[in-house]
Amino acid sequence: MNDQQIRQLLQNEIKDLIIPASQVAHVQLNHSLEHALLVLIKSGYSAIPVLDSEYKICGQISLTLILESILGIERIEYENLHEHQVAEVMNSKIPRMKESETFLRALELSINHPFVCMEDDAGRFVGILTRKSILALVYRYFRNKKTT
Ligand code: AMP
């Protein structure tokens, strides 16, 4: 791969790598922690996006955040799960990107985040971009380079 091909890869749009919203497990701000825990366990993911009623991205909720929030002095207080909402516990400082942004930006964000939420110009959730899909693309480029 020459310099120009590398530059092209880094400037490529990331549309094709996005897992569409319809296939992404998520919860809403006003859902109970009990519901969020069920969605997390059933989906098999340790963290998922949080959306509002207009489908805008508000944050992420994780198993760790939920368990921390019901951690008592001597035990985990599961009975408190239904009393709290996702909005109270979620992490709202999350990375987000638009489809028109470059692969280089996605690569940069994926250093510290297993997935990045994608939004349209109105801020509505369109899907996620995972570190796995970014690494797979990088791998394919370097594998092809090796054989050419
Ligand atoms: P992966 O790279 O496929 O292991 O995904 C990284 C992270 O992205 C997972 O741990 C989840 O937090 C999130 N994720 C991936 N796919 C989905 C999905 N379909 N629905 C919700 N979250 C997902």
Side-chain angles (χ1 to χ4, degrees):
M1 199 187 319
N2 60 34
D3 281 358
Q4 198 194 338
Q5 285 169 316
I6 292 176
R7 259 198 303 278
Q8 223 164 32
L9 164 68
L10 298 179
Q11 291 309 318
N12 264 352
E13 288 191 359
I14 43 187
K15 278 186 190 143
D16 296 345
L17 298 178
I18 296 172
I19 299 176
S22 59
Q23 291 170 28
V24 177
H26 68 272
V27 287
Q28 295 203 350
L29 282 175
N30 60 353
H31 283 157
S32 71
L33 292 187
E34 189 170 35
H35 176 78
L37 189 58
L38 281 172
V39 176
L40 282 160
I41 291 170
K42 282 194 169 173
S43 68
Y45 296 115
S46 54
I48 53 175
V50 178
L51 309 179
D52 68 12
S53 56
E54 292 176 339
Y55 232 61
K56 291 191 173 160
I57 304 161
C58 302
Q60 285 176 15
I61 187 90
S62 66
L63 287 172
T64 310
L65 285 172
I66 293 177
L67 291 178
E68 264 177 3
S69 75
I70 54 166
L71 195 61
I73 292 173
E74 291 189 340
R75 62 182 197 90
I76 296 176
E77 296 166 349
Y78 291 103
E79 64 277 13
N80 291 339
L81 272 177
H82 67 279
E83 287 171 11
H84 297 281
Q85 292 189 338
V86 167
E88 298 169 46
V89 169
M90 69 178 187
N91 173 16
S92 51
K93 288 189 192 133
I94 56 155
R96 51 182 77 209
M97 286 183 69
K98 294 201 164 56
E99 284 176 313
S100 54
E101 290 187 69
T102 63
F103 183 74
L104 182 62
R105 174 79 179 129
L107 191 59
E108 182 189 11
L109 286 175
S110 76
I111 295 171
N112 289 318
H113 304 280
F115 73 97
V116 177
C117 286
M118 307 297 302
E119 61 189 359
D120 64 16
D121 289 336
R124 273 186 302 268
F125 181 60
V126 294
I128 60 170
L129 196 60
T130 63
R131 184 186 285 158
K132 188 194 273 182
S133 65
I134 290 169
L135 283 178
L137 184 69
V138 172
Y139 168 72
R140 283 198 298 276
Y141 266 86
F142 281 100
R143 186 193 54 198
N144 292 344
K145 176 182 159 68
K146 217 173 127 189
T147 55
T148 53

